[in-house]
Amino acid sequence: MRTEDSVDLKDILANWRDHDDAAFRLGIFLGVFPPDQRFNSVKRMFWVDGYPLGDILDRMAQAGVLLKDEEDARYKWNPAPIDLP
């Protein structure tokens, strides 16, 4: 349920974020981690091949929702309107 003080994912990922940080913030947004979770206590999870939050970021980039900078392994929200089929 959204509240007045909630933030949209497009706001959270409005600027470039490296892969781990973007996945961590996605995890907080989805409720995988509590809002007060510290990244350092869970960072090793993001280095496991096939970790689902990283896969979600890649799929969102493939769909055009996110932009992905392959060279620097970072993501941000695509500000352009998305034409999903």
Side-chain angles (χ1 to χ4, degrees), residues 31-50:
V32 174
F33 306 115
D36 60 346
Q37 179 72 54
R38 305 281 303 177
F39 176 74
N40 287 341
S41 65
V42 296
K43 69 180 177 181
R44 69 183 177 281
M45 296 172 68
F46 298 97
W47 301 337
V48 175
D49 284 339

Side-chain angles (χ1 to χ4, degrees), residues 14-77:
N15 298 308
W16 287 110
R17 298 194 178 274
D18 71 47
H19 180 272
D20 293 347
D21 184 46
F24 179 64
R25 290 173 186 269
L26 175 63
I28 290 174
F29 181 80
L30 295 174
V32 174
F33 306 115
D36 60 346
Q37 179 72 54
R38 305 281 303 177
F39 176 74
N40 287 341
S41 65
V42 296
K43 69 180 177 181
R44 69 183 177 281
M45 296 172 68
F46 298 97
W47 301 337
V48 175
D49 284 339
Y51 189 69
L53 292 173
D55 291 344
I56 292 170
L57 290 173
D58 285 337
R59 288 176 185 236
M60 291 175 73
Q62 290 169 353
V65 176
L66 299 178
L67 300 175
K68 181 178 181 180
D69 177 355
E70 295 277 351
E71 186 173 322
D72 291 329
R74 58 188 187 157
Y75 299 85
K76 79 173 193 173
W77 194 265

